[in-house]
Amino acid sequence: MLHFVAYTQPVSAKDLLLHLADHARQQPAARGTGPYEFIQTRTWFLSSDQTTDGTVLGWGTAVIDREQWGAEDGSGQIVDTENGVARSANIGPARLPGDQIGSDESSAQVLRERLLHEGAGRSAPQWFNAFTDTWTTRIVPPNLQAAFLSILAEQQDIAVLGAVTDRVGRHGVAVSTETHERQLVLVFDETTGALLDYEQIALTATTVDVPIALPSTVGYTVWLDHGYVDSVGNRP
């Protein structure tokens, strides 16, 4: 797991997330031009080899480097590289007309209202998942990032973990929430409000198939780069 350094003075999750939202709102649009959104991530996760009856034969940590190109309708290509072997897959249209929250120049307040309407009744962990799912599938413009952060600021059961250096050496600040089985951690760039990392920590043995010490990280994603490009295969 990551090592967190607590602030010298108490900081509430609400104040920190609103601070990040304010910084996010002031950021420029993602660099580059073109009809494709490029997203680069690296993910670590717990992997196991099992027989059909569930017997675990071996386990370890898998690392996947992903480059993804997506057009406005969600179509494009994903290239995953694991142990030096690259696998490419085309992806089909995934977005429905009118279901592209944040694709226009709407204000953070308008986007916030849309998100709240779409996600009515969500708990803090569900908002964490909706937020990271959005970052995984598309470039998040500044106003949409600010809207998400302002919604997170109003959720209960979010704790400030403190300052941290992530798995690729970047400095950030982390907040977390918990389900009955997992702790979910978000790491942000404190100067831009951008999402840097998402860590999932197993708290109970029911969440893992292998004998590991608990609590333990079972999933971790870092967002490395993003921008607009002219065609699949290009990078910003």
Side-chain angles (χ1 to χ4, degrees), residues 99-156:
D99 188 30
Q100 301 179 36
I101 289 178
S103 61
D104 56 18
E105 295 302 318
S106 300
S107 69
Q109 182 59 36
V110 169
L111 296 175
R112 170 187 164 87
E113 292 172 0
R114 292 182 193 172
L115 288 168
L116 287 171
H117 176 74
E118 181 187 78
R122 283 176 179 161
S123 63
Q126 290 171 325
W127 277 113
F128 270 45
N129 288 330
F131 180 49
T132 55
D133 285 348
T134 303
W135 265 79
T136 299
T137 56
R138 60 163 300 175
I139 291 175
V140 178
N143 280 345
L144 181 57
Q145 177 72 353
F148 264 118
L149 288 166
S150 69
I151 290 172
L152 289 178
E154 299 300 327
Q155 304 308 303
Q156 302 299 315

Side-chain angles (χ1 to χ4, degrees), residues 21-175:
D22 184 57
H23 282 282
R25 193 179 297 107
Q26 300 175 49
Q27 300 309 305
R31 73 189 192 284
T33 58
Y36 287 92
E37 297 180 348
F38 171 79
I39 301 170
Q40 182 183 14
T41 60
R42 180 174 299 150
T43 299
W44 292 259
F45 62 92
L46 195 63
S47 175
S48 63
D49 297 321
Q50 301 184 25
T51 61
T52 55
D53 65 359
T55 301
V56 177
L57 302 176
W59 58 278
T61 301
V63 183
I64 293 181
D65 287 289
R66 169 168 289 188
E67 293 183 308
Q68 176 175 315
W69 293 264
E72 186 175 357
D73 65 359
S75 63
Q77 186 178 74
I78 291 175
V79 178
D80 285 340
T81 302
E82 183 178 3
N83 296 326
V85 178
R87 298 184 302 275
S88 176
N90 293 326
I91 52 178
R95 299 180 190 165
L96 299 175
D99 188 30
Q100 301 179 36
I101 289 178
S103 61
D104 56 18
E105 295 302 318
S106 300
S107 69
Q109 182 59 36
V110 169
L111 296 175
R112 170 187 164 87
E113 292 172 0
R114 292 182 193 172
L115 288 168
L116 287 171
H117 176 74
E118 181 187 78
R122 283 176 179 161
S123 63
Q126 290 171 325
W127 277 113
F128 270 45
N129 288 330
F131 180 49
T132 55
D133 285 348
T134 303
W135 265 79
T136 299
T137 56
R138 60 163 300 175
I139 291 175
V140 178
N143 280 345
L144 181 57
Q145 177 72 353
F148 264 118
L149 288 166
S150 69
I151 290 172
L152 289 178
E154 299 300 327
Q155 304 308 303
Q156 302 299 315
D157 303 321
I158 295 180
V160 176
L161 299 181
V164 65
T165 300
D166 75 1
R167 296 184 188 276
V168 292
R170 301 173 300 186
H171 297 295
V173 60
V175 299

